[in-house]
Amino acid sequence: MAAAEPPPVRFGILGCANIACKVSRAMILSPNSTIVAIGSRSLEKAANFAKNNGFPASARAYGSYDAVLDDSDVDAVYIPLPTSLHLHWAVAAAQKKKHILLEKPVALNIKELDLILEACESNKVQFMDATMWMHHPRSSKMKEFLYDSQRFGQLKTVHSIFSYNSGDDFLRNDIRVKPDLDALGALGDTGWYCIRAILWAADYELPKIVTALPDAEYNEAGVILSCAAYLRWDDGKRATFYCSFLSNLTMDISVLGANGYLRVHDFVIPFQENVGPFYVTANTKFAELSIGIEPAPSEHKINTDLPQEALMVKEFSGLVSAIKEHGSGTEKKWPTISRKTQVIVDAVKASIDKGFVPIEVAY
């Protein structure tokens, strides 16, 4: 007789940020999760958010974040609040034994993140950041290519770009350009993805030296609107990235090996929700008379029944369920990857603040 399916993981949401519309939809689409509560500083706003986003009729709306954490039916919380509020509310959630799915950037600096992770560890709650593309089946398929010694070989260099230009209203009013809310600006938002992509390609081996490239662009409040950096490893690997709020929407990863090359044009959010393409070349040579190349590049299309954010919720909920139902330990992979990403964010910021000097990475 087949074992009964464990009950769905019950989510509470702290805040009504725009990204919470997407992630709450993912919680509804995921087969092992549901939404039981949402909190806002305004009860009316929370209730309207639940109604407008198709929450279950039984979901409760609260006029505070604390009320969500005090709800005994909530197993896990999703926190899409401004980065400046992450430390307080993530630690508070961990102390209430709520598992934590935290929007990125996860903290303003590594000191804050370590306090969050310490609270999660001491309270035995699962931590995961909400970097959605990691959970698309395309990511594991691309990694298979990078592990292929014949077709890809030794990793030589990575370049990543994530940029978008959302216009004057965004640059004036969005929380991501406010120093008291998201002081890391483009580095914390789009740069987080670029840095994660580089670490992913390097199998999470940290570089030795990080150097921000002159010159970063800032708004009048001193928040970074665009920046770039160079990463160097002792074994000769190199990587660069560019992140921006001022350039056309671009979401690229290029990975070059001794024998092959991989490129993906939509790594953050696939152009189509149900399919993720990527392109590879392997053992490429000039054709006779140098009038072309051979073999030709190949395109791979990876289909998915669930969007990547729903697969993220599904994976997170599976970890939470294993802890709840079977007494499993927390999965350490996800907090470790978050911490390594934050370490590089900090190094880039330090390099910028010190006049674009090289910074030795300390982990």
Side-chain angles (χ1 to χ4, degrees), residues 11-27:
F11 273 92
I13 300 173
L14 302 190
C16 301
N18 288 336
I19 190 65
C21 299
K22 183 174 186 174
V23 177
S24 62
R25 172 177 176 258
M27 292 170 185

Side-chain angles (χ1 to χ4, degrees), residues 181-246:
L181 296 175
D182 269 300
L184 292 170
L187 173 60
D189 184 42
T190 56
W192 176 274
Y193 288 93
C194 297
I195 291 165
R196 175 63 60 82
I198 291 167
L199 292 175
W200 168 84
D203 218 17
Y204 303 105
E205 177 191 351
L206 286 169
K208 179 74 171 178
I209 299 292
V210 169
T211 309
L213 303 178
D215 287 314
E217 296 177 272
Y218 307 87
N219 64 12
E220 292 178 356
V223 174
I224 295 168
L225 300 181
S226 80
C227 66
Y230 166 69
L231 289 66
R232 177 170 62 83
W233 286 255
D234 280 343
D235 64 359
K237 290 193 293 291
R238 303 288 187 267
T240 54
F241 76 84
Y242 172 74
C243 61
S244 176
F245 291 154
L246 303 172

Side-chain angles (χ1 to χ4, degrees), residues 137-328:
R138 172 173 64 180
S139 299
S140 58
K141 283 294 182 183
M142 292 192 297
K143 206 61 176 287
E144 288 177 12
F145 177 72
L146 300 185
Y147 283 144
D148 189 326
S149 60
Q150 298 301 312
R151 299 178 66 225
F152 184 77
Q154 183 183 6
L155 174 63
K156 294 296 186 179
T157 190
V158 187
H159 180 59
S160 183
I161 301 173
F162 183 22
S163 64
Y164 55 83
N165 184 345
S166 292
D168 291 341
D169 184 67
F170 175 94
L171 294 174
R172 284 194 303 269
N173 300 314
D174 196 87
I175 64 168
R176 285 164 282 191
V177 298
K178 302 294 185 183
D180 56 332
L181 296 175
D182 269 300
L184 292 170
L187 173 60
D189 184 42
T190 56
W192 176 274
Y193 288 93
C194 297
I195 291 165
R196 175 63 60 82
I198 291 167
L199 292 175
W200 168 84
D203 218 17
Y204 303 105
E205 177 191 351
L206 286 169
K208 179 74 171 178
I209 299 292
V210 169
T211 309
L213 303 178
D215 287 314
E217 296 177 272
Y218 307 87
N219 64 12
E220 292 178 356
V223 174
I224 295 168
L225 300 181
S226 80
C227 66
Y230 166 69
L231 289 66
R232 177 170 62 83
W233 286 255
D234 280 343
D235 64 359
K237 290 193 293 291
R238 303 288 187 267
T240 54
F241 76 84
Y242 172 74
C243 61
S244 176
F245 291 154
L246 303 172
S247 304
N248 187 62
L249 176 60
T250 302
M251 303 177 287
D252 277 12
I253 311 172
S254 300
V255 191
L256 180 64
N259 304 326
Y261 175 71
L262 177 148
R263 170 169 283 177
V264 57
H265 293 300
D266 57 352
F267 82 98
V268 178
I269 299 172
F271 296 148
Q272 295 177 270
E273 190 174 65
N274 63 345
V275 61
F278 66 97
Y279 308 83
V280 303
T281 57
N283 302 298
T284 315
K285 310 292 182 190
F286 287 116
E288 190 173 352
L289 301 181
S290 297
I291 58 174
I293 66 165
E294 53 188 30
S298 58
E299 180 182 11
H300 302 261
K301 293 184 176 181
I302 310 303
N303 296 310
T304 178
D305 293 331
L306 288 173
Q308 60 185 14
E309 60 271 17
L311 293 170
M312 173 186 73
V313 170
K314 182 181 177 183
E315 178 152 3
F316 177 77
S317 298
L319 296 173
V320 171
S321 184
I323 295 166
K324 278 182 60 187
E325 304 298 323
H326 307 296
S328 302

Side-chain angles (χ1 to χ4, degrees), residues 25-195:
R25 172 177 176 258
M27 292 170 185
I28 294 167
L29 289 173
S30 173
N32 59 350
S33 63
T34 189
I35 305 169
V36 298
I38 181 166
S40 171
R41 290 170 297 177
S42 159
L43 175 58
E44 182 182 10
K45 186 175 182 181
N48 286 336
F49 189 92
K51 179 182 177 182
N52 294 337
N53 287 280
F55 283 22
S58 57
R60 293 176 289 281
Y62 293 114
S64 73
Y65 305 142
D66 280 310
V68 176
L69 301 186
D70 289 335
D71 189 327
S72 60
D73 286 340
V74 171
D75 301 314
V77 291
Y78 167 58
I79 305 178
L81 298 171
T83 311
S84 61
L85 301 179
H86 284 188
L87 174 60
H88 175 85
W89 290 108
V91 169
Q95 290 172 343
K96 291 293 179 75
K97 312 296 184 185
K98 310 300 186 187
H99 303 277
I100 297 169
L101 181 61
L102 184 61
E103 267 304 332
K104 67 280 157 203
V106 288
L108 292 174
N109 52 58
I110 197 66
K111 181 185 288 187
E112 287 193 358
L113 178 57
D114 281 345
L115 291 171
I116 293 170
L117 296 182
E118 181 183 302
C120 291
E121 182 75 19
S122 62
N123 288 284
K124 299 181 172 58
V125 299
Q126 182 64 51
F127 175 93
M128 182 187 284
D129 72 51
T131 308
M132 300 169 188
W133 73 269
M134 303 283 296
H135 304 272
H136 196 292
R138 172 173 64 180
S139 299
S140 58
K141 283 294 182 183
M142 292 192 297
K143 206 61 176 287
E144 288 177 12
F145 177 72
L146 300 185
Y147 283 144
D148 189 326
S149 60
Q150 298 301 312
R151 299 178 66 225
F152 184 77
Q154 183 183 6
L155 174 63
K156 294 296 186 179
T157 190
V158 187
H159 180 59
S160 183
I161 301 173
F162 183 22
S163 64
Y164 55 83
N165 184 345
S166 292
D168 291 341
D169 184 67
F170 175 94
L171 294 174
R172 284 194 303 269
N173 300 314
D174 196 87
I175 64 168
R176 285 164 282 191
V177 298
K178 302 294 185 183
D180 56 332
L181 296 175
D182 269 300
L184 292 170
L187 173 60
D189 184 42
T190 56
W192 176 274
Y193 288 93
C194 297
I195 291 165

